[in-house]
Amino acid sequence: QVRLVESGGGLVQAGDSLRLSCAASGGTFSTYAMGWFRQAPGKEREFVASVSWTGSITYYAEFVKGRFTISKDNGKSMVYLQMNSLKPEDTAVYYCAADGRETVVRRGSPKYWGQGTQVTVSS
């Protein structure tokens, strides 16, 4: 059983940067593809970014391309989401997720989920 714990959320102003972290335990982290999702109030959860098990292949939602960067550190069992040029519409609860297959992560059906961390961007 894989346990995922997110951290790094908070309240920032538009244009600021924030880095989310996700610590994984309980599994062979290096074999898992990882992803970040978000859910804003009153909206469905949506895909933000994913990274392959090696950390070498990444995918992004169009609305974060050029602003967000996902990275994976297999040695530390960590995945990160660097968020730059934040906008008020980025306000959401951000979730870390893991699955053995990257395509499953991107489709939004990963096996393991974290509890989420709140990101609030004020205008």
Side-chain angles (χ1 to χ4, degrees):
Q1 190 76 4
V2 175
R3 182 169 180 252
L4 304 173
V5 179
E6 303 95 334
S7 61
L11 172 63
V12 297
Q13 292 187 333
D16 285 351
S17 297
L18 206 58
R19 188 175 85 153
L20 304 183
S21 300
C22 174
S25 61
T28 307
F29 182 76
S30 61
T31 66
Y32 285 95
M34 305 295 296
W36 287 95
F37 293 77
R38 70 186 188 185
Q39 187 168 19
K43 295 187 178 181
E44 292 188 354
R45 187 160 53 192
E46 61 184 354
F47 169 79
V48 175
S50 64
V51 59
S52 62
W53 62 276
T54 61
S56 61
I57 302 173
T58 57
Y59 293 92
Y60 296 93
E62 283 296 324
F63 53 79
V64 301
K65 277 185 179 178
R67 299 190 299 126
F68 292 8
T69 302
I70 187 171
S71 59
K72 187 175 189 265
D73 187 335
N74 284 332
K76 296 181 178 179
S77 297
M78 297 288 293
V79 65
Y80 306 98
L81 185 68
Q82 177 67 41
M83 305 186 294
N84 299 329
S85 303
L86 282 162
K87 305 175 182 180
E89 51 264 45
D90 293 320
T91 295
V93 177
Y94 283 72
Y95 297 90
C96 175
D99 195 274
R101 292 166 292 174
E102 193 278 331
T103 52
V104 172
V105 172
R106 249 186 300 151
R107 284 202 303 265
S109 303
K111 186 174 183 179
Y112 303 106
W113 292 90
Q115 83 289 347
T117 185
Q118 176 71 47
V119 172
T120 304
V121 184
S122 64
S123 57

